[in-house]
C-alpha cells in the first residue's frame, strides 16, 4: 500500500481553507495540519513536517514568501505549492525564488489542484498555464552568465545535480551513490555556490536549460 501524501493547508480565509482541506482528504491525502497565519504555518510545519505545503501568499505576517523560505531552509526535501488569487509576475517570481516548486491561481479546478499536489510531491514543478514561460524566462536571465571560469562542476557534482533535478531527496541520492547524506549536501551546496543559485528549483531549471536531463 502506497503511503499517503502528507499535506498542510495554509490560508487565512476559513471557507477556502476548509474547502481545500476537504478536497484533499476526499482524494485520500493526509492533511496533517492547517494554519491561517504565517506564524501558525511555521510552527505547525515544524511540528508535523508535511511533504507538501499548499500555501496562500496573502496571509498575516510573515507572508507566504517568507514562510516558503523559512520552512524550506529547515527541511529542503519538503515542497511548497502556492495557491494564490494573484497571478502577478512579481508575486510568482518572489515565490519561486524563495523555493516554491509550484504555483496555481485560485481559479484552478479541483482536479488541477489535486494533480498539482501529487506532481509537486513527486518532484515536478507545476505552474498555472501561462506562468511557466514567465518563470523560465526569469531563470534564463538569472543564470547568465553561467558557471564562471575556474568554477566548472565536477563529474560527481553534475551527476548529483541531475538527480536533484529529477526530484530525488538527498537521502535517496546518498543511497544510490553509496555516499553519506552530508557528502551529498556538501556537493549540492558547492554546486549552488558555483552556479550562483539559491535553491533546488533554480538547479532544476538549469539542468533543463543546459540539456543535462537528456540521457
Amino acid at each position: 500500500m502506497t503511503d499517503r501524501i502528507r499535506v498542510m493547508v495554509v490560508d487565512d480565509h476559513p471557507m477556502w481553507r476548509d474547502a481545500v482541506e476537504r478536497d484533499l482528504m476526499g482524494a485520500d491525502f493526509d492533511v496533517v495540519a492547517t494554519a491561517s497565519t504565517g506564524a501558525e504555518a511555521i510552527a505547525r510545519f515544524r511540528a508535523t513536517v508535511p511533504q507538501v505545503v499548499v500555501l496562500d501568499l496573502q496571509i498575516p505576517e510573515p507572508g507566504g514568501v517568507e514562510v516558503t523560505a523559512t520552512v524550506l531552509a529547515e527541511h529542503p526535501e519538503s515542497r511548497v505549492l502556492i495557491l494564490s488569487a494573484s497571478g502577478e509576475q512579481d508575486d510568482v517570481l518572489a515565490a519561486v525564488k524563495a523555493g516554491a516548486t509550484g504555483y496555481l491561481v485560485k481559479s484552478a479546478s479541483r482536479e488541477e489542484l489535486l494533480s498539482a499536489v501529487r506532481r509537486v510531491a513527486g518532484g515536478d514543478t507545476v505552474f498555472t498555464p501561462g506562468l511557466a514561460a514567465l518563470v523560465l524566462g526569469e531563470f534564463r536571465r538569472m543564470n547568465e552568465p553561467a558557471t564562471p571560469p575556474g568554477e566548472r562542476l565536477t563529474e560527481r557534482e553534475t551527476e548529483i545535480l541531475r538527480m536533484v533535478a529529477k526530484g530525488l531527496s538527498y537521502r535517496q541520492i546518498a543511497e544510490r551513490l553509496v555516499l553519506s547524506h552530508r557528502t551529498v549536501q556538501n556537493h549540492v551546496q558547492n554546486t549552488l555556490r558555483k552556479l550562483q543559485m539559491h535553491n533546488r528549483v533554480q538547479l532544476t531549471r538549469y539542468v533543463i536549460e543546459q540539456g543535462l536531463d537528456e540521457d
Side-chain angles (χ1 to χ4, degrees):
M1 180 178 176
T2 304
D3 290 339
R4 297 162 69 197
I5 297 171
R6 303 172 72 254
V7 186
M8 180 171 76
V9 180
V10 183
D11 197 298
D12 63 334
H13 292 88
M15 290 181 63
W16 185 269
R17 184 176 64 248
D18 292 347
V20 172
E21 180 182 11
R22 282 196 304 272
D23 286 345
L24 291 169
M25 292 179 67
D28 206 31
F29 290 94
D30 184 10
V31 180
V32 296
T34 63
S36 60
T37 70
E40 284 182 356
I42 292 170
R44 292 174 186 175
F45 176 89
R46 288 169 175 163
T48 58
V49 192
Q51 292 168 265
V52 179
V53 180
V54 178
L55 174 66
D56 186 14
L57 284 183
Q58 310 302 327
I59 55 176
E61 293 295 329
V65 171
E66 187 175 343
V67 170
T68 298
T70 299
V71 301
L72 293 179
E74 296 182 8
H75 289 276
E77 294 172 13
S78 292
R79 316 285 184 185
V80 174
L81 170 65
I82 301 298
L83 183 60
S84 174
S86 171
E88 294 296 319
Q89 174 175 327
D90 289 347
D91 288 335
V92 177
L93 294 181
V96 172
K97 288 175 184 177
T101 49
Y103 195 111
L104 292 184
V105 294
K106 287 187 173 179
S107 58
S109 68
R110 174 182 180 275
E111 290 72 25
E112 287 172 327
L113 170 62
L114 298 178
S115 174
V117 174
R118 290 190 187 97
R119 290 178 59 194
V120 166
D124 286 346
T125 52
V126 181
F127 297 96
T128 290
L131 298 184
L134 166 69
V135 173
L136 182 57
E138 175 66 7
F139 279 122
R140 283 187 175 137
R141 184 191 68 77
M142 289 171 60
N143 291 344
E144 295 175 356
T147 312
E151 287 288 304
R152 296 187 181 280
L153 300 182
T154 66
E155 289 185 15
R156 178 65 87 187
E157 288 167 349
T158 301
E159 183 178 25
I160 291 175
L161 177 58
R162 286 191 175 117
M163 293 184 179
V164 168
K166 289 178 180 178
L168 273 66
S169 69
Y170 295 158
R171 195 167 303 283
Q172 289 171 322
I173 295 171
E175 289 174 356
R176 289 197 182 191
L177 299 181
V178 195
L179 298 172
S180 72
H181 183 272
R182 183 164 298 279
T183 297
V184 172
Q185 285 184 315
N186 288 340
H187 279 305
V188 172
Q189 290 305 312
N190 285 339
T191 301
L192 288 167
R193 177 184 58 78
K194 288 181 178 182
L195 297 178
Q196 299 178 350
M197 297 179 186
H198 304 287
N199 55 55
R200 293 171 63 114
V201 183
Q202 293 178 346
L203 289 178
T204 299
R205 302 318 311 178
Y206 176 83
V207 168
I208 293 171
E209 291 173 14
Q210 299 297 318
L212 299 177
D213 59 329
E214 299 173 2
D215 296 326

